[in-house]
Amino acid sequence: MKKTDRFLAGIRLELKRSENANDNGYIDLAKSETVPAQEELLSPVTPSEGLSGFQEIMMEEIARCHLDKIKIGINEMLKHLLSQINRENEETMAELYMYRLRMIFSRCLMPDFPFPEEVWNYICDCLRTVGSFLAQDGFYEACREIIDATAGMGRIAALQGLPTGNTQSTLRTLENKALENGEKQLASVAKNARFNLET
């Protein structure tokens, strides 16, 4: 139990650090729309870490095939998303967290990892809950990001021979939750994702 306690404390610390990861003036050429001045290019500002520390811990646990810790890490990351999301950061937060989740999922599909189906089913279960909470609270852009991530990972899962029943169930639940909240366009996105999953 001690090892799990230390692991949980470590990932919670990294998630807490990510809260301060805002735009600090670091020049990222992949996102630059204008040519930066020479002094900006040579600025000593370091990039914000975002969720990279959390990601490193998770990749180590995946390499060790620690299924329970992987599930705990995914759960903690998504709980952190729910605790930090607000109207101003909704889209950015959802994109960042789904990007990291897709990286975890992709790593779990590598041949050296023996539990891809378990991880995928757990991700679907978590995204069903998180997406439902986000839709219920009116975070429709974030919910759409959840739907898109679920559908994208679901297509990859299907190509890898993983069952798609849980993926379909997650998308159907999010479709129904959107309809309950009068968000027909969001419901349509989920419905289309479900139908396109098998093609």
Side-chain angles (χ1 to χ4, degrees), residues 127-137 143 173-174 177 181:
L127 291 181
R128 184 180 310 122
T129 302
V130 172
S132 295
F133 289 163
L134 290 171
Q136 177 181 305
D137 290 341
C143 189
T173 299
L174 297 180
K177 188 55 81 170
N181 288 284

Side-chain angles (χ1 to χ4, degrees), residues 86-121:
N86 60 49
R87 300 288 174 225
E88 290 76 38
N89 70 11
E90 146 179 32
E91 193 171 350
T92 306
M93 289 281 286
E95 286 175 4
L96 172 64
Y97 282 67
M98 290 305 99
Y99 170 72
R100 293 298 178 172
L101 185 60
R102 283 191 298 270
M103 288 176 68
I104 291 167
F105 172 66
S106 293
R107 175 59 184 90
C108 289
L109 292 177
M110 294 290 135
D112 66 330
F113 186 75
F115 311 112
E117 186 173 337
E118 289 85 345
V119 170
W120 176 234
N121 283 329

Side-chain angles (χ1 to χ4, degrees), residues 10-56:
I11 59 172
R12 284 182 174 165
L13 177 63
E14 289 301 332
L15 289 168
K16 184 78 176 149
R17 281 186 189 157
S18 75
E19 293 173 20
N20 302 321
N22 50 19
D23 184 15
N24 63 355
Y26 176 77
I27 302 295
D28 182 348
L29 294 177
K31 297 176 183 172
S32 263
E33 295 179 8
T34 60
V35 178
Q38 184 176 6
E39 58 273 6
E40 290 176 307
L41 290 170
L42 302 175
S43 169
V45 174
T46 57
S48 60
E49 290 189 26
L51 291 169
S52 63
F54 168 80
Q55 188 81 44
E56 288 173 16

Side-chain angles (χ1 to χ4, degrees), residues 1 6 9 30 44 57-58 66 76 85 96 122 125 140 142 173 180 185 190:
M1 192 60 161
R6 281 196 304 268
I57 293 171
M58 291 298 292
H66 291 165
E76 288 297 314
I85 200 164
L96 172 64
Y122 187 75
D125 292 343
Y140 301 123
T173 299
E180 283 174 26
Q185 186 176 6

